[in-house]
Amino acid sequence: MQISRNAVKQHLVGLEKAQLVAEAALNSTGGRPARSYKLTEQGRNRLPKQYGWFCQLLLAELKTELGETALRQMLARMGVNLAQSLAPQFSGKTPQAKRQALVELMQTLGYRAELETDDGQPSLKAVNCVYHDLAQQIPELCEFDRALISTLLGSAIEQTACMAQQDCACRFRICAER
C-alpha cells in the first residue's frame, strides 16, 4: 500500500475510536509482535448491503409463484401481524393520539411522516417511501403499509397518493374509526 507503519497505526486508531474495528489478537512472531484487527458489528453494518436487490428477487418470485392477489393478501397479513405486535403502544389512546403515535412510529422506521387535513379529514403524509425502488417494481408492496396503518389506527384508510406511482408523497386519508 506504500504507506508507513505509523500511518497504518493512525488509521487503525481512528477506526477503533469510531468503533468500526477492534483488536482481535496480539501474535508473537519472533520479532516485532503482530496485531490483528476485526470488524465490529458497527463496522460490518457500514459495508454495502444488497437487501433491496435480494428483496426484489424474493418478491418477484413470490408474485410469480403465488400470483398478484395472493401476494397482496400475504403482505396485508404481514402488516396486520406487525400492527398486532405493536398494539400495546396504541391501546387506550384517543384517535388523535393514535395518529400521533403512528407518525412517531413511522419516523423510527425511516419515513418522513406528518399529519395533515385533507378535505376536512385527517390524513397521513410521507414525503419519502422506504420501499420506493421495490414498490416501483412490485406495487403490491404498498399493501403492507395500508394494512399496518389501518390496523394500528383501528380505522379504514384510503391511499390517495403513492410515490411509486410518480406522486410527490404517499398520502393516506384516515376514515372514521371502526
Side-chain angles (χ1 to χ4, degrees), residues 106 111-114 116 123-130 132 142 145 159-165 167-172:
M106 289 184 75
Y111 290 92
R112 296 192 62 199
E114 60 187 55
E116 304 183 315
S123 180
L124 178 68
K125 171 184 164 187
V127 295
N128 68 319
C129 175
V130 297
H132 188 263
C142 297
D145 282 344
Q159 188 169 5
T160 59
C162 179
M163 291 183 71
Q165 296 176 5
D167 290 318
C168 294
C170 292
R171 285 191 168 79
F172 304 89

Side-chain angles (χ1 to χ4, degrees), residues 7 65 85 92 110 113 128 132-133 136-137 142 144 152 164:
E65 189 74 25
S85 74
N128 68 319
H132 188 263
D133 294 341
Q136 285 185 309
Q137 296 171 19
C142 297
F144 175 83
L152 287 174

